[in-house]
Amino acid sequence: MSGRPYLVADLDLPDCVPSFLSKQWGIKSLYPPQAEAIPAALGGRNLLLAIPTASGKSLVAYLAICRRLLVEEIGSRAIYIVPLKALASEKYEELQSLAATCGLEVGMAVGDANREVQNLEKADILVCTSEKLDSLSRNRPDVISGVSVVIADEVHLVNDSSRGPTLEVNLARLRISHPKAQIVALSATIGNPEKIAEWLDAELIISDWRPVPLQYATLAERHLEVRSCVSTSEVTTLPAPRVLEGPKSHITWCALKDTIDEEGQLLVFVSTRRSAESEARKLSERTLKLLQSDSKRMNSLSILADEVQKENDSAISDRLASAVRGGLAFHHAGLTHKQRKSIEKAFKDGLLFCLTATPTLAAGVNLPARRVFVRDLKRWQDGMTGWISTIEVRQMMGRAGRPRYDTQGEAWLACKGEDPVFEADAVAERYIHGPPEPVISKLAAEPPLRMHLLSGIATGGLDNRDLIRRFFRATFLSKTQPAYLIDERIDKTLNWLVDEGFINRGVPDKSIDEADFELGDWDDELPSWATSAGETAGVGYSKQMPTSDAKSRIISNSIGFERADGIEVQVINSSDEREPLSMTYQATNLGQRVAQLYLDPLSATILRDGFRKAIAMMAQSKKPTEFAIMHLISATPDFLMMWAKRNKDELHVKTAIESEGLLREERLEDVLLGLTQTAWTLERWIDEAGFRSIEKEMKIAPGDLRTRVELMRWLLYAGRELVLNDEDISEENLPNAVNFGKVLDSLKQRIIHGCKAELLPMVRIPNIGRGRARDLFSLGLMNPREVLELTDFDKRRLMAIRGWGPKVLERAVRDIRKLS
């Protein structure tokens, strides 16, 4: 670009792209950080773009995709990795509109349901979550063939212990398999961007520029002080401190009333779901009075309240509807998907004054507001109350200021304690002026390491120790931990995978030179702690690393230090010799299937061992209970166990009643009661208890129940596959294994539909559901074909039941005939 560097028309792209941007999205010029990133983005070079929320990161990624697919690598494919399903839908819709203009196809893959996988085969641009991309890489490697550009959105989530390792492995795998593919990584909050850029061999663009100025302020009681402002101008005059109107005892109301007076909207972030609901209720009671003169808005809110309440019959729906009538809503994972979508749309449309939410909203959806108020900066974690990370708070604050709607955004931080005014300075220093935490790889933790090691061996071509080592050298982990420590953890995990029957060792590959593994050649960057120690008198750094014959004792300089007194240091070391680089590996049938099922190998061992016990019971004519099966599955790391919320005495009694038939022992009381709580809740679900009853009895919200139902469905399917692929089951026991597989399949169907076994034939009818299926069963109908033979009298009886009508029956009959 020359002459007018910020104009979209000057971009070296096919005419369809700038024409679309100008006419459809109203974008005629680029923001300064976008313009700075364009040479790398359109030049095919790797790029790390670290700029604030709403500064146009996504557009740079879209332009890079267009350049690669329409000019540089015609016929190739782009992959756009997002952390969450909600963000995938948003990017999918945006890219669809852009791609259609240029003759490109967009696909989406975020889960296993039909609605979660769209246009996978024909897609030129694939939008997917990290987990789904990892799964596709294992089972459908053709999907990533021909990739020329990869977008990693929210790349700072490499730091996340649950999602981070998978994103890291995906990027490492793609860089190895497609070394010429362009990587574009995006982030608004990252503490060590230079380190990430080094890992990705990427050009680094950092900027604080925002299209909508954002003021960062502290609110101590009612005293508001703006501490910083990020804007389009380098010089900004901060406004004078001011005092908000309202009661000191309810500063959130002070913030909301001030926002409403300025005709804005407020996002309030709190630490817990209970706080989100409580704050919404209190604020709604106040705003309801303001709405009395606005009958049109009140009518719209009443319609929305009825909509969210009808989504399911539960107490949480009642509470949400009550808040909505006052122009407020709470937002957390306890709500159903439909309820969250309804609330988000109403807020975007300006119908709601305020949302109270947990921090997950900040990362989950693009939902900006004029003003953001972070009420809780501390939360209970790791057994104590501690500060929320700066990365999280920056994510929340970044939601303030809507491009094209607001001339300014404001992010306020609540200051509490005995002296809130004094606390304000510390809060500002931590969250406004201080840097976000550095991104640290979590790949070395046991769960992701065993999962991705097995996957690499089973489906990724890592069939010897040398290839495994080379792969991990391509991960971000290799930039943050010494190579010898990584090797030790890998060897330990390989031993475990062999012991548990997931992989076998093969014949050493003699073409691999063991000399490459000499620890004396270790050339990792010296850790910062070693640098600091090296500056201490009497301490020196040595590059000598532990030798392979180190057992239980090594001298201190073998881990990088030389002590003046020469005293030896005791260390805990694995008694196993290190794996030679030439060692080869092959996944067993079990390991292959576990990798394909996307299971944590530890989950597989828990299920395998428990199900073998169940099959042995069946051999003795004892059928394991549904409770016992769900109790076992709840103990796997792939499941989200519920913590005990029901009365503990009742949980102890239930545990005692079921103890004899359980398939796994658990000695920790908290975990034991949590497993009972989980299995009991799901047992109530398949016994056809309603959302309201389950919520009252088991203290679990509908959204949380749906999450567990979906996980249980998946793990029952995976468990059945493990049973049918267990080569250690004796021929004598095969019939029992087959029968147990049928038990698991039946339970899976009951979990999906939330019904007793007697209704399974009827719930096969589309759009009937367990409620209408129970109505049919109550009339004596046992299978779908009997519905086709209803007499006129029976039809009149059926029509008299609430929820039935001529159209519903006609549709059911039509669907049954299709099934026949």
Side-chain angles (χ1 to χ4, degrees):
M1 297 186 300
S2 62
R4 296 169 296 174
Y6 292 174
L7 294 184
V8 168
D10 291 335
L11 295 172
D12 188 13
L13 289 167
D15 292 340
C16 62
V17 178
S19 175
F20 173 87
L21 295 178
S22 177
K23 294 178 181 178
Q24 300 299 320
W25 288 354
I27 301 174
K28 297 183 179 180
S29 61
L30 298 176
Y31 297 144
Q34 291 175 325
E36 188 179 354
I38 282 298
L42 300 191
R45 302 192 295 277
N46 290 356
L47 172 67
L48 172 57
L49 187 57
I51 61 177
T53 301
S55 295
K57 296 185 296 295
S58 296
L59 179 60
V60 173
Y62 297 165
L63 296 178
I65 289 173
C66 289
R67 176 70 185 181
R68 297 292 279 183
L69 270 55
L70 297 174
V71 180
E72 301 292 343
E73 300 283 346
I74 297 174
S76 63
R77 170 172 279 189
I79 293 179
Y80 200 115
I81 308 172
V82 295
L84 300 171
K85 292 181 180 181
L87 290 179
S89 299
E90 179 183 314
K91 299 304 178 188
Y92 175 69
E93 291 172 5
E94 290 179 355
L95 281 166
Q96 254 195 329
S97 58
L98 172 60
T101 306
C102 302
L104 297 174
E105 296 274 354
V106 182
M108 181 173 70
V110 295
D112 296 322
N114 290 335
R115 61 181 172 81
E116 295 178 328
V117 179
Q118 300 183 32
N119 204 28
L120 186 62
E121 307 294 339
K122 299 179 181 178
D124 302 296
I125 306 168
L126 178 62
V127 181
C128 56
T129 58
S130 285
E131 293 78 12
K132 188 59 181 181
L133 177 60
D134 190 26
S135 177
L136 288 171
S137 298
R138 303 178 188 203
N139 302 301
R140 292 282 308 278
D142 58 296
V143 170
I144 62 171
S145 63
V147 171
S148 65
V149 57
V150 179
I151 312 300
D153 208 350
E154 309 287 359
V155 73
H156 61 271
L157 289 177
V158 164
N159 193 65
D160 184 82
S161 58
S162 59
R163 292 186 171 91
T166 303
L167 173 58
E168 183 178 345
V169 165
N170 277 327
L171 291 174
R173 181 191 295 122
L174 287 165
R175 292 187 68 209
I176 292 171
S177 63
H178 297 76
K180 294 183 179 180
Q182 180 183 17
I183 307 288
V184 178
L186 311 174
S187 177
T189 50
I190 189 166
N192 52 342
E194 295 84 3
K195 203 74 175 177
I196 297 288
E198 178 191 349
W199 169 47
L200 297 175
D201 296 322
E203 292 187 26
L204 176 60
I205 303 294
I206 303 177
S207 176
D208 290 330
W209 189 94
R210 282 180 57 101
V212 177
L214 176 56
Q215 292 183 354
Y216 299 97
T218 54
L219 181 60
E221 294 180 327
R222 291 179 300 149
H223 297 272
L224 182 74
E225 182 177 353
V226 177
R227 304 286 182 145
S228 177
C229 181
V230 176
S231 69
T232 58
S233 173
E234 294 184 3
V235 180
T236 304
T237 302
L238 301 182
R242 63 188 178 99
V243 179
L244 303 184
E245 295 181 358
K248 288 185 177 181
S249 59
H250 197 182
I251 60 169
T252 309
W253 167 244
C254 298
L256 177 56
K257 181 61 167 61
D258 189 82
T259 305
I260 294 174
D261 289 344
E262 295 186 9
E263 300 183 348
Q265 288 176 288
L266 182 68
L267 270 177
V268 178
F269 287 104
V270 294
S271 60
T272 66
R273 297 182 186 183
R274 180 177 294 181
S275 293
E277 295 186 25
S278 174
E279 192 66 90
R281 176 181 57 80
K282 294 175 184 177
L283 292 172
S284 178
E285 291 171 355
R286 294 180 182 272
T287 53
L288 193 58
K289 299 175 183 178
L290 300 179
L291 285 168
Q292 299 306 312
S293 60
D294 192 346
S295 58
K296 183 178 179 181
R297 189 168 196 161
M298 285 190 69
N299 183 58
S300 297
L301 288 169
S302 179
I303 294 172
L304 176 62
D306 290 342
E307 178 185 328
V308 298
Q309 191 166 26
K310 290 177 181 177
E311 163 59 14
N312 63 61
D313 181 25
S314 63
I316 194 172
S317 296
D318 296 343
R319 296 194 294 272
L320 179 61
S322 177
V324 165
R325 295 182 196 282
L328 270 290
F330 52 85
H331 188 293
H332 58 61
L335 301 179
T336 65
H337 176 76
K338 288 184 179 179
Q339 286 174 330
R340 292 198 299 271
K341 287 300 177 185
S342 296
I343 292 304
E344 290 163 13
K345 183 179 185 302
F347 190 78
K348 287 180 179 179
D349 292 343
L351 180 58
L352 297 172
F353 294 122
C354 173
L355 278 187
T356 59
T358 51
T360 52
L361 177 67
V365 290
N366 182 19
L367 202 64
R370 160 72 183 279
R371 185 176 288 163
V372 166
F373 181 49
V374 185
R375 194 199 74 172
D376 298 339
L377 292 170
K378 292 183 178 181
R379 67 171 167 229
W380 185 261
Q381 50 192 356
D382 300 326
M384 60 186 295
T385 299
W387 293 101
I388 296 176
S389 71
T390 302
I391 287 180
E392 282 187 85
V393 174
R394 291 279 179 87
Q395 285 280 87
M396 296 180 221
M397 294 193 294
R399 294 298 172 196
R402 302 168 301 170
R404 299 190 297 276
Y405 294 99
D406 297 324
T407 58
Q408 175 179 286
E410 297 169 288
W412 296 357
L413 303 179
C415 306
K416 304 176 183 179
E418 295 183 3
D419 188 348
V421 176
F422 177 79
E423 182 84 0
D425 289 337
V427 167
E429 189 59 36
R430 175 184 290 269
Y431 293 116
I432 297 175
H433 303 304
E437 296 83 3
V439 171
I440 299 173
S441 172
K442 303 301 193 295
L443 183 55
E446 285 186 8
L449 191 58
R450 62 181 174 243
M451 188 171 181
H452 291 296
L453 260 180
L454 176 60
S455 168
I457 294 169
T459 62
L462 304 183
D463 57 7
N464 63 61
R465 186 63 180 83
D466 182 51
L467 286 175
I468 292 172
R469 189 170 190 243
R470 292 177 188 277
F471 177 84
F472 276 86
R473 280 182 170 179
T475 65
F476 185 57
L477 178 65
S478 69
K479 298 292 183 183
T480 59
Q481 286 198 22
Y484 78 94
L485 288 180
I486 299 173
D487 283 326
E488 284 181 3
R489 296 189 71 86
I490 290 173
D491 287 347
K492 179 180 177 182
T493 306
L494 287 170
N495 286 333
W496 184 85
L497 290 171
V498 170
D499 292 344
E500 292 296 332
F502 294 109
I503 62 174
N504 289 323
R505 289 186 175 91
V507 178
D509 186 343
K510 296 181 180 180
S511 67
I512 297 173
D513 186 1
E514 291 292 331
D516 290 343
F517 199 65
E518 286 302 320
L519 290 170
D521 295 333
W522 182 67
D523 59 357
D524 287 353
E525 181 180 336
L526 187 62
S528 57
W529 50 264
T531 304
S532 300
E535 295 171 353
T536 305
V539 180
Y541 170 71
S542 168
K543 289 201 69 166
Q544 180 182 353
M545 287 295 105
T547 57
S548 59
D549 61 351
K551 298 294 183 182
S552 61
R553 288 164 58 93
I554 57 175
I555 60 172
S556 58
N557 67 354
S558 69
I559 56 170
F561 295 93
E562 183 175 352
R563 293 173 59 103
D565 54 15
I567 298 176
E568 292 186 333
V569 177
Q570 299 284 343
V571 298
I572 299 174
N573 231 7
S574 170
S575 60
D576 298 316
E577 295 285 349
R578 69 165 177 83
E579 292 281 284
L581 288 185
S582 58
M583 179 56 66
T584 60
Y585 308 95
Q586 183 179 14
T588 62
N589 289 339
L590 172 66
Q592 194 82 27
R593 195 69 186 112
V594 168
Q596 292 170 345
L597 290 167
Y598 209 70
L599 275 178
D600 182 331
L602 181 57
S603 293
T605 63
I606 291 172
L607 295 178
R608 178 194 61 194
D609 295 347
F611 288 165
R612 284 176 178 174
K613 184 176 180 180
I615 292 169
M617 290 172 60
M618 294 189 73
Q620 299 173 4
S621 301
K622 298 178 182 178
K623 181 182 176 182
T625 64
E626 288 86 359
F627 181 95
I629 294 170
M630 294 187 292
H631 180 278
L632 174 71
I633 292 175
S634 300
T636 65
D638 280 311
F639 194 87
L640 294 175
M641 184 191 74
M642 305 171 192
W643 292 107
K645 292 184 178 180
R646 185 161 177 159
N647 180 279
K648 288 195 173 183
D649 290 338
E650 295 175 350
L651 288 173
H652 276 297
V653 171
K654 178 68 171 176
T655 302
I657 293 172
E658 302 286 351
S659 60
E660 186 176 346
L662 295 182
L663 303 174
R664 184 176 186 273
E665 293 184 6
E666 179 55 60
R667 296 180 179 178
L668 292 175
E669 183 184 28
D670 286 347
V671 177
L672 177 63
L673 295 184
L675 294 174
T676 299
Q677 165 91 30
T678 306
W680 198 357
T681 300
L682 292 168
E683 184 182 56
R684 296 288 294 126
W685 168 250
I686 62 175
D687 282 343
E688 300 177 33
F691 285 113
R692 188 178 295 275
S693 297
I694 292 175
E695 185 179 19
K696 182 179 179 180
E697 296 171 15
M698 309 306 298
K699 309 297 187 287
I700 180 169
D704 296 315
L705 176 59
R706 288 184 186 275
T707 298
R708 269 58 175 206
V709 164
E710 182 58 28
L711 286 172
M712 185 60 66
R713 178 203 65 78
W714 165 51
L715 289 168
L716 281 166
Y717 168 76
R720 178 178 175 276
E721 291 297 300
L722 293 179
V723 168
L724 298 180
N725 284 275
D726 190 346
E727 297 176 342
D728 288 341
I729 294 177
S730 65
E731 187 172 345
E732 180 184 359
N733 247 340
L734 277 179
N736 294 317
V738 172
N739 288 333
F740 183 63
K742 293 177 181 178
V743 170
L744 294 178
D745 191 54
S746 175
L747 181 55
K748 176 172 74 88
Q749 294 301 319
R750 291 182 63 191
I751 279 289
I752 291 171
H753 298 287
C755 68
K756 296 180 180 179
E758 62 198 28
L759 293 190
L760 287 179
M762 285 302 188
V763 292
R764 289 178 55 228
I765 306 172
N767 303 307
I768 285 296
R770 65 179 185 173
R772 288 184 178 134
R774 177 56 61 189
D775 295 336
L776 294 171
F777 190 85
S778 67
L779 294 178
L781 305 178
M782 310 295 289
N783 65 72
R785 291 203 61 81
E786 293 178 1
V787 178
L788 303 178
E789 302 167 0
L790 282 173
T791 66
D792 291 340
F793 175 72
D794 287 335
K795 289 180 181 179
R796 287 194 295 272
R797 289 175 62 199
L798 189 59
M799 294 302 104
I801 300 175
R802 184 179 179 181
W804 283 92
K807 290 185 178 180
V808 174
L809 180 57
E810 288 174 12
R811 185 175 61 186
V813 169
R814 185 171 61 249
D815 290 335
I816 291 170
R817 285 181 175 142
K818 289 180 181 178
L819 292 173
S820 301

